[in-house]
Amino acid sequence: MPPKRNAGKAWGIIGVVAGVLVIGTLAGAGVFRSGGSSSGGSDGEPKYRITVPQALAGGKYKLVKDISQQAGSAVPHDGANEHGIEAAGGQYSSGTKSLVMLGLYGVIDDPETTVDHTIRGMTSDGKTEVAVADKKFTPSGGGDSLTCGVDVRTEMGQKVTLPFCVWADFSTSGNVAETDASKLSEDPQSVDLQEFADKADKIRSEVRKPQG
């Protein structure tokens, strides 16, 4: 596929990628489970919200589209594990790279359950498959771990390599995924997930802000 055509196809696919993240986030928010009563999470933990900055990763990625309203209209406010939930997210670009950040904030009873359901939700539509199994990564500079992996999605006849990282605490969850128009079908095994986890950790620090 010629580079120009490849790039055009990537921009068409990024909207679908955003949809994949929304599906995963919906799963994390309890759409595919029955509702339940809140246990209130952990009262001793700091409470955060998710924001949508104009730039991410130290200014390398610029905001193309705010998808908070799209996600918020689909995400339920209350589920079996999450309560009083709001959504926030955006599509970003940097050269040939397109990145989607999507987050939830409210009350999360069990962060690990949210992470697990978010990741499983990303492959629930039959078009996205696990290429590199998810595992926990500690950022190179230290700090809370993220769970990262690589999926491959088939869209418009094109296989798209989709590295992602997910995190959750008692008041937020976030999902970051990226495509690169210059190498849409990159070998999933060649993706440096530690490097991507470091990038996602930086993004987490930029979008997660204290409540109040």
Side-chain angles (χ1 to χ4, degrees), residues 36-89:
S37 60
S38 170
S39 67
S42 175
D43 291 336
E45 293 291 328
K47 292 180 172 57
Y48 299 96
R49 59 189 173 91
I50 299 294
T51 62
V52 184
Q54 290 297 309
L56 290 179
K60 293 180 180 178
Y61 292 78
K62 306 300 183 183
L63 181 65
V64 175
K65 181 181 180 182
D66 189 316
I67 59 172
S68 301
Q69 186 173 359
Q70 170 194 351
S73 64
V75 172
H77 291 292
D78 292 284
N81 187 54
E82 297 84 15
H83 319 279
I85 291 298
E86 302 290 339

Side-chain angles (χ1 to χ4, degrees), residues 63-137:
L63 181 65
V64 175
K65 181 181 180 182
D66 189 316
I67 59 172
S68 301
Q69 186 173 359
Q70 170 194 351
S73 64
V75 172
H77 291 292
D78 292 284
N81 187 54
E82 297 84 15
H83 319 279
I85 291 298
E86 302 290 339
Q91 296 179 23
Y92 293 80
S93 69
S94 175
T96 60
K97 295 180 179 180
S98 299
L99 180 143
V100 179
M101 180 283 298
L102 189 60
L104 302 176
Y105 59 100
V107 174
I108 297 175
D109 295 337
D110 182 358
E112 288 299 321
T113 294
T114 295
V115 169
D116 181 68
H117 281 265
T118 299
I119 292 172
R120 305 305 158 233
M122 290 175 67
T123 56
S124 65
D125 65 350
K127 291 185 177 182
T128 307
E129 300 178 349
V130 175
V132 177
D134 59 271
K135 67 175 185 177
K136 289 184 180 297
F137 287 83

